[in-house]
């Protein structure tokens, strides 16, 4: 688990003003809602008094009331506002008590929650950590565009979900479709990679020639060149951008850890390509849903094999991005332990080759 980052919690449409919504991130139970002005908030779903889930209590648009003893907490700060059982001569400093609260932002039709490093056991509850950055956003190059998103549960650890997300060799075997590609189209590829802060980039390149959508895009855009750039950034962000003259397509995909053996993949796509196509967002969502469902079934089958703790291996060059991910994760955790600067595992640009 990587702490100190923003994570997608719920689609914005699932969070309404008139009810509280439960969620789980990094094995941390959350209660998410909106105040009377519509602003989202996130608290740890446990009263600091006796652990009763705050999601079981009442919410008046400003304060959450625990259903066990009526303690009240500010929805955004988590600061305790009232303990009904206290008598007038008892001097407990109520305002020093906090339910765990988390920074909360909305972008790209999602509620994001910042999950800081957990405090030591028994440390109590304090004010929310102030994040040093804003929640990630899908790249947007302006003008009229459309947006679509989808989510799917994956029965695997976040590590297996992420390395599956960046795996360049599984496409012809997992993502087979008449409108995409088949295993018979496998050929050798060569891509350049470069280090970026907290991650790595597949440098701008001409997209694969064995995919029908790219062939159609080449005809539609009538551009001198079409380029694709793919970034991976800790803890779980995959950003892809396709440019073809004045046309563009971008996506932000995340694999969010729910528990140690369960994660969720969320995709948000934004584009100005084929805007005239009827039901464009629905069509793109269908394509994405097809891909994500194929990945989900693969992860489900893989989880059966992983139950028996088999010996695993990563090979060069096809699995080098997976190696970089584990090395980046280890370097980040080491920098958190020693307080030093994170040491990037890539010293410079690298060219990788594989067949897919």
């Amino acid at each position: 688990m990587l702490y100190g980052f923003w994570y997608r919690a719920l689609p914005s449409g699932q969070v309404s003003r008139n009810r509280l919504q439960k969620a789980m991130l990094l094995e941390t139970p959350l209660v998410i809602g909106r105040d009377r002005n519509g602003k989202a908030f996130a608290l740890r779903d446990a009263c600091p008094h006796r652990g009763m889930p705050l999601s079981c209590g009442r919410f008046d648009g400003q304060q959450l009331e625990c259903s066990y003893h009526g303690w009240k907490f500010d929805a955004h700060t988590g600061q305790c506002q009232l303990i009904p059982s206290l008598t007038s001569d008892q001097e407990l400093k109520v305002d020093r008590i906090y339910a765990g609260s988390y920074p909360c932002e909305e972008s790209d039709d999602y509620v994001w929650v910042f999950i800081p490093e957990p405090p030591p056991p028994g440390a109590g509850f304090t004010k929310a950590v102030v994040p040093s950055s804003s929640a990630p956003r899908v790249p947007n190059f302006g003008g009229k565009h459309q947006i679509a998103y989808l989510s799917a549960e994956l029965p695997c650890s976040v590590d297996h979900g992420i390395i599956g997300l960046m795996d360049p060799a599984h496409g012809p075997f997992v993502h087979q479709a008449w409108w995409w590609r088949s295993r018979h189209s496998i050929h050798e590829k060569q891509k350049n990679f470069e280090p970026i802060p907290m991650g790595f980039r597949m440098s701008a390149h001409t997209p694969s020639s064995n995919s029908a959508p790219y062939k159609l895009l080449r005809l539609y855009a009538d551009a001198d060149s079409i380029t694709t750039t793919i970034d991976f950034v800790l803890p779980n962000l995959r950003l892809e951008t396709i440019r073809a003259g004045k046309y563009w397509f971008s996506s932000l995909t995340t694999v969010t850890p729910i528990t140690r053996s369960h994660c969720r993949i969320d995709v948000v796509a934004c584009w100005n390509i084929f805007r005239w196509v009827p039901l464009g967002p629905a069509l793109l969502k269908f394509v994405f849903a097809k891909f994500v469902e194929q990945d989900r079934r693969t992860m489900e089958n893989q989880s059966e094999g992983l139950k028996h703790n088999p010996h695993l291996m990563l090979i060069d060059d096809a699995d080098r991005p997976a190696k970089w991910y584990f090395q980046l994760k280890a370097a980040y955790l080491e920098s958190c332990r020693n307080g030093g600067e994170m040491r990037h595992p890539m010293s410079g640009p690298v060219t990788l080759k594989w067949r897919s």
Side-chain angles (χ1 to χ4, degrees), residues 189-193 317-318 320-321 324 350-354:
K189 297 178 180 179
Q190 177 176 301
K191 307 293 183 185
N192 297 320
F193 292 80
D317 282 1
R320 188 82 67 85
W324 287 333
V350 177
T351 299
L352 302 181
K353 297 179 181 180
W354 64 84

Side-chain angles (χ1 to χ4, degrees), residues 3-252:
Y3 298 93
F5 292 100
W6 289 95
Y7 287 93
R8 278 174 173 158
L10 293 169
S12 295
Q14 292 185 16
V15 184
S16 61
R17 298 189 195 188
N18 56 4
R19 69 187 185 95
L20 300 172
Q21 182 74 39
K22 300 176 69 171
M24 181 79 73
L25 290 178
L26 284 73
E27 299 188 330
T28 301
L30 301 175
V31 55
I32 298 175
R34 295 187 188 279
D35 63 20
R36 59 184 54 159
N37 297 317
K39 185 178 180 181
F41 63 84
L43 297 178
R44 187 178 183 91
D45 195 15
C47 178
H49 178 212
R50 302 277 287 277
M52 173 64 70
L54 293 174
S55 57
C56 297
R58 299 175 60 187
F59 177 54
D60 64 5
Q62 184 176 353
Q63 297 177 359
L64 277 76
E65 180 184 270
C66 179
S67 62
Y68 198 1
H69 296 93
W71 289 28
K72 289 187 177 182
F73 302 91
D74 181 271
H76 291 286
T77 66
Q79 186 180 46
C80 187
Q81 306 294 303
L82 175 69
I83 298 179
S85 63
L86 291 179
T87 61
S88 60
D89 60 337
Q90 292 174 334
E91 299 180 353
L92 177 64
K93 297 184 183 302
V94 172
D95 59 355
R96 293 187 179 181
I97 300 173
Y98 286 83
S101 63
Y102 300 87
C104 186
E105 289 186 12
E106 291 189 69
S107 69
D108 304 327
D109 292 328
Y110 272 86
V111 174
W112 293 74
V113 176
F114 184 84
I115 305 294
E117 193 73 27
F125 297 93
T126 57
K127 297 179 180 180
V129 172
V130 178
S132 59
S133 62
S134 297
R137 295 181 179 273
V138 64
N140 183 327
F141 300 97
K144 293 183 178 180
H145 60 272
Q146 301 197 43
I147 190 168
Y149 67 89
L150 62 88
S151 299
E153 304 290 320
L154 299 180
C156 64
S157 71
V158 66
D159 286 341
H160 281 292
I162 287 175
I163 65 175
L165 184 70
M166 63 179 64
D167 175 14
H170 74 279
F173 304 95
V174 174
H175 300 303
Q176 295 185 31
W178 66 266
W179 40 265
W180 183 247
R181 66 181 62 163
S182 72
R183 67 175 62 200
H184 303 297
S185 67
I186 293 177
H187 62 274
E188 185 172 309
K189 297 178 180 179
Q190 177 176 301
K191 307 293 183 185
N192 297 320
F193 292 80
E194 57 190 288
I196 59 176
M198 300 293 286
F200 55 87
R201 169 174 296 157
M202 183 187 291
S203 307
H205 60 280
T206 302
S208 177
S209 61
N210 61 341
S211 299
Y214 287 129
K215 294 177 182 178
L216 180 61
L217 174 59
R218 190 171 287 109
L219 292 173
Y220 171 80
D222 192 26
D224 294 334
S225 65
I226 300 174
T227 60
T228 298
T229 303
I230 301 174
D231 291 357
F232 174 79
V233 182
L234 284 180
N236 61 349
L237 309 179
R238 181 189 186 274
L239 299 101
E240 181 170 1
T241 302
I242 302 172
R243 303 297 301 267
K246 65 180 181 180
Y247 299 106
W248 54 269
F249 172 92
S250 62
S251 65
L252 171 58

Side-chain angles (χ1 to χ4, degrees), residues 108-109 146-150 267-271 280-282 284-285 288:
D108 304 327
D109 292 328
Q146 301 197 43
I147 190 168
Y149 67 89
L150 62 88
V267 184
V268 173
C270 189
W271 70 95
L284 187 65
K285 195 168 184 177
F288 274 14

